Structures are given as structure tokens and as C-alpha cells.
Amino acid sequence: MQADTLSGGFAAPPVEAAHAFRAIMRVMARPGTIEDVAGATPPAPLSVAAGTVLLTLCDPETPVYLAGTADCAGVRDWITFHTGAPLVTRAEAMFAIGTWEALMPLDDYAVGTSEYPDRSATLIVEMERLEATGARLTGPGIADTAALSLPESAAFQANARQFPLGLDFLFTCGDRLAALPRTTRVEAS
Amino acid sequence: MTDYNFAYLDEQTKRMIRRAILKGLAIPGYQVPFASREMPMPYGWGTGGVQVSAACLTPDDTFKVIDQGADDTTNAVSIRKFFEKTAGVATTEETARASLIQTRHRIPEEALSQDQILVYQVPIPEPLRFLEPSELETRKMHSLEEYGLMHVKLYEDISQHGAIATAYAYPVKVEGRYVMDPSPIPKFDNPKLGMAAIQLFGAGREQRIYALPPYTQVVSLDFEDHPFEPSKADYDCDLCGASDSYLDEVIVDDAGGRMFVCSDTDYCRSRRAAGHVGAQGAPYEEGAA
């Protein structure tokens, strides 16, 4: 275990987690908005935002899947030490983290059941850039329309068609955070 | 405050509640099960709302609590003091100054902004519960979108009373999918449910959390020939003269004397402070009861 495994957590967990959760809740309630989050400094290749989301939402009750380059010893040790979350395959995961390419295909993740649609995975997508431009978004949480630089449109349209089942997405880039719940209707710009 | 974790609950409990809130926002109107904790107050006193508030509060928040619209009733005062003590947050009675409002059975008269959060205390979250006592059955009915029973209930109201007799906890359909109980708010408040603020519903005893993101489509159930009508007592407030606010009827003597006053105490106070005087009102004095 490396020394940096032990560092990079919240300095004041109750307060930093509270601020981070408010940001996560705001972006999930208002698809397309982008918020800054801070608190965690996870090992590469995880972003500050992704690390902060993991520390805020994950614990021994939430199986996590690491996709692609995120599945490295440094990240595995860091998540295990700071959250205690079990690291699992994509079918068992409540949270999955990685780049869009690494997280694909989406078919294997839990989308919930018709009686318990909440038993579905949340995907944390690490992005090269995250801006309020691009695909046009409408739906709950959006007064008129919103826009977000999504990696593609077709996958999110297919996901929304499964409603009330489906996956929910958090997008992270540096210390920036956005979200796309299953209810949002996506049109390519 | 050093005797408690911030906002009373331990961090693992807050994470569990926070995950439920996020899934609730992603599936508007769907009741997410959560592992409700024992709180230092009895069930029925807002344990669900208190747990949701505890999971959402930050030290920067300004917190307001209302009970049937009033800031000064036992339940509201107790919960406000609880978070003053355990979270050290600022509190207010002014709707516009609050960043997080916990409510029992009312929506404030003043329109909420997108920076505010409204947390409802919910006694029975399941809108179908009084029609179908089995949780297994109601869960199946939600999954199959089988809401005929609710329409039969509303129809029976019309055949018996000539109108839909449900006056509070009036069922709504969210985004054309889930039928939801908006908690026992008067149906007068139903049209406000599509507001700009985030709305979270917590039912402690029943262990359910549900949510409405801003601007969610919320439709009160009705029939084409019996459309939904929000209603209130057909009077003006006797203290502030407001004709647009929801009113409480107050019995004032043994001889049948009564007055109607705003149920939203902050709305009434701010109107009287602005110089409005109702039929039985006295001019407003700062600090006077």
C-alpha cells in the first residue's frame, strides 16, 4: 500500500460531504447544469470530481465497478481504504466509473426492475471536456431546454426509452460535475 | 454541537439517504425505500422530513420549518431548534430568506426560487394505500401503471357527493407515469407542485423517500367533465385582507364567532408589515404578537 493511498480523503467529512452532495443533488435535479465540487484528491487517472462523488456516495453497501484505466492498483487501494466499497463486475455494480469508451457497452449494468426501478446503476463518466453546449436536453428539472456536451446521443435516447427503468449518469471533468438522469430527453444538436 | 455529528445523523446513514434522494430525483414520483432511522421524536412528528433535511443541510444553509403554514407551532419550533442545536445552521421565519424549508402539510404562498429546497413530512406516502392495504399489491399496481382503482374512487366521490370530495392529499400523476401522494397539503396547493425549487418527500415510519425535480409535470387527477379545482374558504384573511391565500378558520368565542386567517403565518406577517389590514386586523406593530 502506497502512502498516497491514505491521503486525498475529506479533511472534514461531514461538512465536505454535505457540500458535495448538495452539488450532486443540484446537477441531478437540473440536467445540464454544471457545478464545481472539491474535497477529494484521488490518485490518477480519477478526477477530483469523480473522487469527491465516490467519497460522498459510496461505502461498504455500494459495489463499485472500475472501467478501463480507472481499474489500477492505486485507485483500487484508494477506494478500498477511503470508502470500503467492494470492487465488482459491471453487472453487480451500483456505481461504475471510467471514460465513456471504457464503460461501454451499457447493456450489462443493472437498470432496476419494474417494481424497484431504483435498483439501477449510476455511471460516473470521466470526460475530456464538459460544457453546457451540444446535445439539446428537455424533461424534468429543465424549465425550457438545456444543453450538455454529451459523448453521444443514441445511447442516452435508448436509456430514456426504458423509463422508469434505466441508468443515471454523472459526468466529471477536473473539479466540474454534471448529470443526466434517465428522464431527460436527448436530441443531437 | 460537539456532542453530535453534523446534523445529528451518522455519515453512513446520510449516504444511504442521499443515494435514495438521487434515485428519487431520477424517477420522479416513485417511492424509493430507505432504511429509516429512529429519531429523537415520535413517528408522525416528521421523522422522514427530518432525516431528509439532515442529509441535505450544509452549515451555510438558512433553515425554515412550517407546520400547516405556521412557523410558531410546537412541531415547527421543535424541529427548528433541533437543527439549530445539531447542525448549527441559521434559521429564519421568512420564506424568501430560507435556503431549505421543511414543511408539514402546506406549500408557502410565496413562490419558491430555484435556489431553494422544500422538504415535506409525509405520513402515508402510498396514494393507493387506503384503496389497497397490501404493499405487495400496490407495488405491483405502480409497476403495471394500474391506477384504475384511484379513478374509481374519484368517480364514486362524484356519484355520492356530486363533486370530487378529496380536499387534501389530492393524488397527482407525475410526468405521465407515477401516481403520487403530494402529502396532506390542501388541494389548493397542488398547482404549485410544478415549482422551480427541488421538492423532496420523506416518510419516516413508512420508510420511503420520493422527489420532484424543478418544473416536473405534475397533473392533479380529474375527469374531463369534472375538472380539478383548487379550492379555499371563500373569504379574505381577517388580519391582512389577502384574497389569494389559503385560510384557517379560527373559532374566537362561544357564540359562534369566527375569523379566517392566512395559514401561512409569514405571508400574513409580511403583508401586515407592508400595511395591509383585514376586516378584524389591527395595524401591524413590529414585535407585537
Side-chain angles (χ1 to χ4, degrees):
Chain A
M1 189 179 277
Q2 302 292 309
D4 59 359
T5 298
L6 310 181
S7 63
F10 287 143
V15 171
E16 285 180 280
H19 283 296
F21 172 68
R22 280 290 276 275
I24 298 168
M25 180 167 77
R26 281 197 297 264
V27 296
M28 189 61 88
R30 296 196 180 78
T33 57
I34 298 174
E35 296 256 352
D36 293 344
V37 289
T41 43
L46 293 192
S47 64
V48 167
T52 305
V53 169
L54 288 170
L55 293 193
T56 305
L57 297 178
C58 295
D59 56 34
E61 297 173 359
T62 59
V64 172
Y65 169 68
L66 301 174
T69 53
D71 190 10
C72 62
V75 172
R76 296 179 80 93
D77 288 347
W78 189 80
I79 290 176
T80 302
F81 177 75
H82 288 280
T83 73
L87 300 173
V88 297
T89 63
R90 55 178 70 196
E92 300 166 282
M94 277 176 71
F95 289 90
I97 186 160
T99 61
W100 181 246
E101 293 73 24
L103 286 166
M104 295 294 260
L106 298 183
D107 307 339
D108 297 337
Y109 299 102
V111 293
T113 66
S114 61
E115 296 189 2
Y116 293 96
D118 57 305
R119 295 180 182 174
S120 51
T122 302
L123 271 52
I124 302 165
V125 187
E126 294 269 38
M127 307 277 282
E128 287 284 317
R129 68 180 190 94
L130 187 58
E131 288 159 18
T133 58
R136 186 168 167 274
L137 313 180
T138 53
I142 303 169
D144 189 12
T145 63
L148 194 63
S149 54
L150 297 175
E152 63 166 292
S153 296
F156 299 109
Q157 290 164 350
N159 184 56
R161 276 198 296 275
Q162 299 183 74
F163 184 83
L165 308 188
L167 305 171
D168 305 307
F169 300 88
L170 289 166
F171 301 99
T172 54
C173 176
D175 62 355
R176 289 147 57 80
L177 178 72
L180 194 81
R182 66 194 76 177
T183 46
T184 306
R185 295 175 281 278
V186 177
E187 293 168 55
S189 56
Chain B
M1 194 191 154
T2 50
D3 298 333
Y4 297 96
N5 188 34
F6 173 72
Y8 187 76
L9 291 174
D10 61 279
E11 288 304 295
Q12 185 154 354
T13 298
K14 284 194 228 164
R15 280 192 293 271
M16 174 269 296
I17 295 171
R18 286 165 178 167
R19 293 192 295 263
I21 291 172
L22 293 179
K23 285 300 174 193
L25 285 165
I27 317 166
Y30 166 75
Q31 303 161 50
V32 185
F34 82 111
S36 178
R37 299 294 195 247
E38 294 261 355
M39 298 301 286
M41 61 188 72
Y43 288 130
W45 286 65
T47 54
V50 164
Q51 290 178 77
V52 170
S53 292
C56 290
L57 278 174
T58 73
D60 305 341
D61 274 316
T62 305
F63 188 55
K64 170 182 162 88
V65 190
I66 52 175
D67 175 1
Q68 305 264 18
D71 290 276
D72 52 4
T73 49
T74 310
N75 197 201
V77 172
S78 304
I79 293 171
R80 194 160 61 233
K81 291 219 155 120
F82 177 75
F83 282 115
E84 275 176 6
K85 186 171 180 181
T86 61
V89 292
T91 56
T92 183
E93 295 192 3
E94 289 176 45
T95 302
R97 282 187 55 218
S99 56
L100 196 152
I101 302 172
Q102 181 170 330
T103 177
R104 174 175 174 271
H105 307 182
R106 267 317 304 278
I107 295 175
E109 302 292 352
E110 196 176 334
L112 300 185
S113 75
Q114 63 161 5
D115 298 321
Q116 293 176 299
I117 298 169
L118 187 59
V119 175
Y120 295 77
Q121 302 171 198
V122 183
I124 307 285
E126 177 51 71
L128 304 168
R129 181 61 69 235
F130 292 108
L131 307 172
E132 169 52 64
S134 160
E135 167 68 13
L136 282 176
E137 289 297 323
T138 52
R139 188 159 287 278
K140 195 165 285 170
M141 289 158 80
H142 282 293
S143 78
L144 297 172
E145 221 174 328
E146 176 50 69
Y147 296 125
L149 201 55
M150 182 59 86
H151 281 102
V152 170
K153 190 254 176 199
L154 297 176
Y155 171 77
E156 286 185 345
D157 266 8
I158 293 170
S159 63
Q160 273 187 27
H161 308 292
I164 296 174
T166 306
Y168 65 94
Y170 192 103
V172 295
K173 197 164 204 183
V174 180
E175 285 289 324
R177 179 58 181 83
Y178 284 101
V179 166
M180 186 190 95
D181 182 342
S183 87
I185 57 173
K187 67 178 177 178
F188 174 82
D189 282 342
N190 272 25
K192 301 180 206 161
L193 288 163
M195 65 172 72
I198 297 172
Q199 296 171 85
L200 306 173
F201 299 78
R205 179 185 49 214
E206 303 290 322
Q207 313 201 321
R208 296 291 184 274
I209 285 172
Y210 50 106
L212 293 174
Y215 314 115
T216 298
Q217 186 203 69
V218 181
V219 179
S220 302
L221 297 181
D222 61 1
F223 297 98
E224 275 176 27
D225 52 347
H226 283 88
F228 170 77
E229 280 177 32
S231 63
K232 63 184 273 285
D234 196 13
Y235 297 91
D236 293 346
C237 173
D238 281 325
L239 293 179
C240 77
S243 59
D244 57 350
S245 74
Y246 191 74
L247 301 174
D248 288 338
E249 183 179 1
V250 184
I251 307 296
V252 291
D253 56 32
D254 290 343
R258 58 185 185 167
M259 64 192 292
F260 287 91
V261 297
C262 292
S263 109
D264 185 335
T265 51
D266 176 60
Y267 184 73
C268 199
R269 183 201 54 76
S270 62
R271 274 181 56 85
R272 280 183 288 136
H276 298 277
V277 181
Q280 300 183 46
Y284 182 78
E285 285 174 52
E286 186 66 41

